[in-house]
Structure formats: structure tokens, C-alpha cells
Amino acid sequence: MTWLMESADYLAVVLRLVLSAAILLTVMPLTIYLERKGSAFIQGRPGPNRAALFGVFRMGGLAHVLADVIKLVSKEDIIPAGVNRFYFKLAPIIVAFIPLTTFMIVPIADVIRLSDTFATPMATLQLDGGLLWFFAMTSLSVYGVVFAGWASNSKFSLLGGIRSTAQLLSYEIPMALAVVAMMLTYGTVQPNEMVRAQGELLWGFLPQWGIFLQPLGFILFITCAFAEINRVPFDLAEGEAELVAGYHTEYSGMRFGLFFMAEYMALVTSGALTVTMFLGGWQLPWLPTERLVADAGTLMPWFIGGAGLLLGAASGRLIRHYQEYTRGRWGDARDFEPLVFSALFALGFIAHGAAAGWVWGVVKAGEALPGWLPPLFAAGVQISVFTAKLLFLCWCFVWVRWTLPRFRYDQVMDLGWKSLLPLSLFNLLLTGVLMLQPWGREVLPVAPVVTLGLMWVWKRYLVPSQARVPATSRLVVGEEASA
Amino acid sequence: MNASLFALLCTLALAVIVPGVLILAIERLGPRRKVAAKGLPYEAGIQRTVGSSRERFSVKFYLVAILFILFDVEAVFLFPWAASFRELGVRGLVEMGTFIAVLFFGYFYVLGRGALRWE
């Protein structure tokens, strides 16, 4: 019997690895899709809508993501002369390796207790170090960038690589300090414990999410996350007006594709960590796991029925789309694409309705649900909640990218070293002081008020007025310039 | 072998296999036509690039690297404190506060010497 229990543990490891990887590798293309459609939406154009599977299924542009992969894989694999081949080939693998390993510490649901003897946590990696794994791995991404820049034998690559390295290094420190403050707040380094703690209520009604307890820490962390994944407004490493494509200028085909994929996987991973630490992870507000499991009989019809209604609404909307837009538009199979998906959603609607009705019937008859169902239901709800939060955050990353302009390099470095670093150190000390008083987390939201007040005093009275306006930022125009 | 070590090995294997398969795909599937011009480093269409590509770069990047080491080591000292924050209590906080204050001195020294000025 013992070996059976042990092999169940190993099976659980494989299953949750597959589940985590599935979430990462589906949210990643979805984010690429969001990016292309989102930028189109913001710029007032239709965005990708031409590629079609079998000439029929365009899926609103989603087929483009698939077409991109096929295109990148079938391109010529050019390795320029004079590159350092080993490091040139190693760099994209390192860059893609890191988000794949980092994502695996993120808990996608609470511990599932299937029976008294068998329980499995829902983050693939169970390490004593917890979040330290995240730092260990993200620091490695510098190597990919340095290798790519140095080995490429191109000036643009080298400059991009060096800029990127300096930027990654500068923002790693405030990021680490922001996370240390979160560790103090929740008193643990284990991500799942952190998420559990976020289910408690602040002042009796607000969930203790990191964003409410540590708004300043949230801003620090997400700013550093933007810088760490080299995204606008901090994408100096690949500012195309200056450096062509930065450290991956010389890469083509799928080798470039790996950098591209890795960028979006890193985005999803940063998003997942932000969700875990600041947005309550898998927590559904006011419904902790225990409640979800205990009240599964009454909650399940509502949740499953609700999901079914959403599918039904989507199905109806697609029929409307057919009637208003695609009927008779091309005169071939493409006209009926919305109807096919409408039928699929309708099937989902029926299946959800049947499941909800069955549970309702069982509970109504006064019978007990099978013992494995409530924990799996709780896990399913939590995975959905986590994925929804993650997608929302990914959209925020896209939104920022297409809204803000790019910073100048000296501004990026100044922001990192002169604002974020002292702020994060101060935030850390203040969190330490506030966490030692007897009311604990209840008074923690005071911290940003104190910080902002002190910052104002600092800017107003302590920094000499001459230093406030650096000479270089004064605009020289007209007579002054000619004089 | 316990389950968490097994999970670590599985994760590392996955993280090598996913990019590995894609790299293998392009090495096997892509066309291959050797043209000398494809091997040139990109430099906005200039045929003969000037000088070596491994150029000298500003010393400021070196300073950033050194400062990163200093401050990151400091962050490393903070991790164990954060992990056992409650056990260490006020005494731990005061000691860590002193440590951070000393570091702030260093930080202001660096600022004053202009090591972080990018112009």
C-alpha cells in the first residue's frame, strides 16, 4: 500500500506540472493575441483578422498566433559569420528556460484534500525557499541577455545587451526589497501560505490582499516587473529607433521566436507572481476554500449555472453576429463560422446546465455528493479565478504598453536608483516597524500615507532647490540658444 | 527520491524540452541557402562594418554592476531576517534598521560622488 500512496504523490506532481504548464502556455499566446488586438483597439484599427484555419476558421484573429508559430519554425535558421556559436545558441534557451521554471512556484489553487490520507498542493514546486526560487531564477535571465548581446558580433546587439543588463540589475534590488516587505507582512516565504493569508479580512470586510495592505509595495513591484521584462515604458534594450532590435538583432526564425515567446512567458509569470502576492492569488473574495468545500452542494449549481449562462450568452451573441454581419457576406463556408462556434458554446451551455441540474437534484433529494467532488469543485473555481485575474493583469500590461511613451535611458536609471531603491528600503523598514505592534496587519495601510508625507518633506525641504532642476533638462530655445 | 525533488526534476526537464524542441524544429525544418551577405552583422546596410563589434563601452555600466553587487548582497541579508521576523522581534528590527542605515550612508556617498549620474 505504501508504494501505491507514493506513486499517487508522483502522479500528482506530473498532473499539476501539466496543469501549470497548460495555463502558462495557453495564457502566453492569449496575451500575444491580446497585445495585437489590444493595440489595434487602442489605435482604432481592426488588427489581425486574415489568417484562417482550413480557409474558414479565423476565430477573430486567434488563428494568427498559430500561423506565427508555423512561420517562425519554417524560416531559415541564419547564424551570422563571426558569432560565438555556443553562446549564440545557448542564449535563447536560457531566456525561455527562466519563466518556465519560475511559473511553477505559483499556486494555482489551494491544497486539494481528496481524502484524509491524500492531499496535494497545487503549485508544482514545493520548495522550502519558496519565493527565493523566483529571485534565483530571474537573476539568471541577465545571462541570456548578456550572452545574446556579446555573442552576436554586432554593435547593436552589444549595446542592447549592455543596456538591458544594467537595467535588469538596477531594478532587481527594489523588486527584491518589495517582496521582502511582503514576506514580513504575511510572515512566510511560501507563496501558498501568502495566498491563504490574503483570504482573511481587513477591518472585518476587506480581503487582506497585498494591494490593500501594501499599495506602495504593489506599485514598486509592478514597476520593477515592467522593467524586468523589458516592456514599454522601460524597453530601452530594444528601442527600435536607436538599437534596431537590441540584443536579439541578429537572431532569425524560431531562435528569435524563442526570445519573443520568452518575453511573453516572462510577462505571464510576472503577472502570476503579482496576482499571487498582491491580488489574492486563487482567493475568491469572501469565499475561502473551507467554505467552498463545505457548501459545495448549495454553491455548485450557482457557479456552474452561472458559467453555463455566460456560454449561452456568448452563443446567442454569435448568432446575432451571423445575422448582422456574416450572412451571405462571402457566399462560401466562411459565412457559417460564427454558427459553428455558437453551436459549440451552446453545447457547453447544455452540459453546464445538465451538471448544475444534477447537483441540484442530488442536494434536493437529501443525498450526499460523492466525496471527491467538493474539493475538485473548489479547485476548479480557484483555478478559474486565478486565470481570470492573470488575464486581467496581462491586459493591464498591454494597456500600459500602448498608452505610455518610452523613457529616456538616464530617466530609467534615475527612476531605479534614485526613487525606487530608497522608497523600497524605506517601505521595508516601515513595514517592519508596523508589523511589530500588536494590531498587526490591521494598521498596515497607514504606511503609504507616512511614506508619501515624508517624501513630500524630503522633496520640499531637504533636497536643495538647485538640484531639483538639473541643467540638462532646461530647454534652450530662440535667442538663448543663439546668444 | 521524494516528491518535491521529483517535481524539481520534472520542472527542469520541461523547461529544457520546450525550447529544445523548438530549436530542433528550426534546425531540421527551415530551408538553408548559404549566401555570404547573410553572414554579415547587421549595420543598417553598410557592407564593411567599421572596427570590431566588441566595442568598448562606458564605464558607468561597470559602476552599475558593482553597485548592484553591493545592494543585492544586502538584500540577501534581508531574506533570513524576513523569514524569521517574528522570532527576532524588536531586537532584530533594530539590528536590521542599523544595517540598512549604514547602507543608506553608502548610498548617499555614491550619490554624492555622482556615480549614478547619467548624462
Side-chain angles (χ1 to χ4, degrees):
Chain A
M1 259 328 264
T2 36
W3 70 267
L4 193 69
M5 292 310 300
E6 272 172 24
S7 55
D9 275 345
Y10 291 123
L11 189 66
V13 167
V14 174
L15 282 181
R16 66 196 198 220
L17 178 76
V18 169
L19 204 57
S20 292
I23 288 184
L24 176 61
L25 295 177
T26 48
V27 173
M28 185 261 294
L30 270 180
T31 312
I32 296 178
Y33 173 72
L34 262 183
E35 175 105 279
R36 302 183 66 176
K37 275 291 185 191
S39 65
F41 170 67
I42 288 170
Q43 297 171 343
R45 54 187 171 86
N49 61 0
R50 291 305 165 97
L53 284 177
F54 313 115
V56 178
F57 299 108
R58 299 186 302 174
M59 299 181 284
L62 207 56
H64 272 265
V65 178
L66 205 66
D68 276 346
V69 175
I70 296 171
K71 180 195 79 174
L72 286 173
V73 166
S74 55
K75 286 259 175 178
E76 182 175 354
D77 173 28
I78 301 173
I79 298 182
V83 302
N84 191 325
R85 293 179 80 91
F86 177 70
Y87 292 116
F88 187 82
K89 290 182 172 184
L90 186 63
I93 298 182
I94 295 181
V95 172
F97 177 85
I98 287 144
L100 276 165
T101 45
T102 315
F103 189 81
M104 298 304 163
I105 59 159
V106 174
I108 54 175
D110 200 2
V111 177
I112 301 182
R113 268 174 221 295
L114 280 181
S115 66
D116 291 336
T117 48
F118 182 76
T120 173
M122 283 308 283
T124 308
L125 284 178
Q126 296 298 318
L127 302 166
D128 295 338
L131 280 170
L132 299 187
W133 174 256
F134 158 60
F135 293 116
M137 280 295 150
T138 45
S139 334
L140 286 183
S141 67
V142 173
Y143 285 100
V145 172
V146 168
F147 287 164
W150 178 255
S152 286
N153 189 33
S154 161
K155 283 171 189 155
F156 291 114
S157 299
L158 183 71
L159 287 175
I162 286 167
R163 270 188 175 195
S164 186
T165 311
Q167 182 187 327
L168 291 181
L169 296 182
S170 306
Y171 280 82
E172 213 170 283
I173 305 163
M175 192 181 211
L177 295 178
V179 175
V180 170
M182 291 316 286
M183 290 175 184
L184 289 189
T185 308
Y186 295 116
T188 174
V189 292
Q190 295 294 336
N192 197 43
E193 293 302 310
M194 269 191 186
V195 180
R196 280 193 143 272
Q198 292 181 57
E200 289 160 30
L201 293 180
L202 181 69
W203 310 322
F205 67 96
L206 201 62
Q208 288 193 349
W209 289 6
I211 191 169
F212 299 129
L213 292 180
Q214 288 258 356
L216 186 65
F218 174 72
I219 293 169
L220 287 169
F221 185 83
I222 201 137
T223 312
C224 296
F226 272 105
E228 286 283 308
I229 57 180
N230 271 324
R231 262 185 97 72
V232 173
F234 304 112
D235 70 334
L236 276 300
E238 41 197 278
E240 52 278 280
E242 306 155 18
L243 287 173
V244 190
Y247 53 89
H248 55 64
T249 302
E250 296 291 339
Y251 285 82
S252 60
M254 202 61 218
R255 285 188 209 278
F256 159 74
L258 272 181
F259 279 112
F260 185 74
M261 267 176 59
E263 192 187 317
Y264 282 92
M265 284 198 290
L267 191 161
V268 175
T269 306
S270 310
L273 281 158
T274 316
V275 167
T276 303
M277 280 187 287
F278 296 97
L279 296 178
W282 41 256
Q283 290 277 6
L284 190 61
W286 303 292
L287 273 180
T289 318
E290 291 74 23
R291 185 92 200 278
L292 278 175
V293 173
D295 295 350
T298 44
L299 291 175
M300 265 174 96
W302 286 100
F303 276 84
I304 298 176
L309 280 183
L310 279 181
L311 287 173
S315 172
R317 184 70 193 81
L318 280 171
I319 292 176
R320 276 293 288 266
H321 183 68
Y322 169 74
Q323 286 172 340
E324 285 172 1
Y325 187 69
T326 65
R327 179 162 54 192
R329 189 174 172 83
W330 294 284
D332 58 21
R334 282 179 289 173
D335 291 356
F336 304 106
E337 194 204 340
L339 291 185
V340 174
F341 285 102
S342 175
L344 280 177
F345 285 137
L347 275 180
F349 171 65
I350 295 168
H352 276 75
W358 175 76
V359 173
W360 189 75
V362 168
V363 175
K364 191 84 177 163
E367 293 166 40
L369 290 167
W372 50 268
L373 194 56
L376 285 189
F377 161 69
V381 169
Q382 288 168 347
I383 291 173
S384 316
V385 167
F386 173 77
T387 316
K389 286 176 183 172
L390 183 57
L391 275 173
F392 171 71
L393 212 63
C394 288
W395 163 248
C396 290
F397 277 95
V398 171
W399 189 4
V400 168
R401 167 162 181 188
W402 296 100
T403 306
L404 294 182
R406 179 182 293 141
F407 282 140
R408 224 168 48 214
Y409 193 67
D410 60 327
Q411 292 170 331
V412 171
M413 297 306 273
D414 274 1
L415 180 68
W417 285 100
K418 294 185 186 160
S419 303
L420 297 187
L421 177 62
L423 256 183
S424 59
L425 266 177
F426 187 74
N427 181 45
L428 175 69
L429 272 182
L430 200 62
T431 309
V433 172
L434 285 177
M435 283 310 288
L436 275 180
Q437 43 72 33
W439 297 282
R441 284 179 234 154
E442 302 277 321
V443 289
L444 208 52
V446 176
V449 181
V450 176
T451 317
L452 288 177
L454 282 172
M455 263 178 73
W456 184 77
V457 171
W458 167 273
K459 286 269 179 210
R460 186 77 182 73
Y461 297 108
L462 294 179
V463 180
S465 59
Q466 202 59 41
R468 258 186 275 154
V469 185
T472 45
S473 70
R474 275 195 229 113
L475 202 59
V476 184
V477 282
E479 294 98 79
E480 210 185 322
S482 56
Chain B
M1 192 166 68
N2 64 15
S4 65
L5 188 60
F6 179 67
L8 184 59
L9 287 179
C10 282
T11 305
L12 295 181
L14 176 91
V16 172
I17 287 169
V18 170
V21 165
L22 290 170
I23 289 283
L24 272 185
I26 191 177
E27 287 190 345
R28 296 281 174 279
L29 292 178
R32 216 159 270 260
R33 281 176 223 96
K34 289 245 157 157
V35 180
K38 285 182 187 169
L40 294 174
Y42 180 83
E43 209 165 304
I46 297 171
Q47 292 272 313
R48 290 193 193 286
T49 53
V50 182
S52 161
S53 293
R54 273 107 201 204
E55 284 236 334
R56 299 184 357 170
F57 46 86
S58 170
V59 72
K60 280 168 186 156
F61 292 105
Y62 174 75
L63 277 180
V64 167
I66 292 283
L67 288 176
F68 164 73
I69 303 249
L70 284 177
F71 282 96
D72 211 40
V73 167
E74 165 212 348
V76 169
F77 281 122
L78 290 172
F79 286 129
W81 169 62
S84 51
F85 173 69
R86 267 161 231 279
E87 293 83 63
L88 294 177
V90 178
R91 202 193 137 112
L93 181 71
V94 170
E95 282 172 0
M96 236 38 218
T98 319
F99 177 62
I100 292 176
V102 171
L103 265 153
F104 253 117
F105 266 112
Y107 174 75
F108 285 119
Y109 175 73
V110 166
L111 269 189
R113 294 299 298 262
L116 293 171
R117 207 175 293 146
W118 291 80
E119 265 157 20

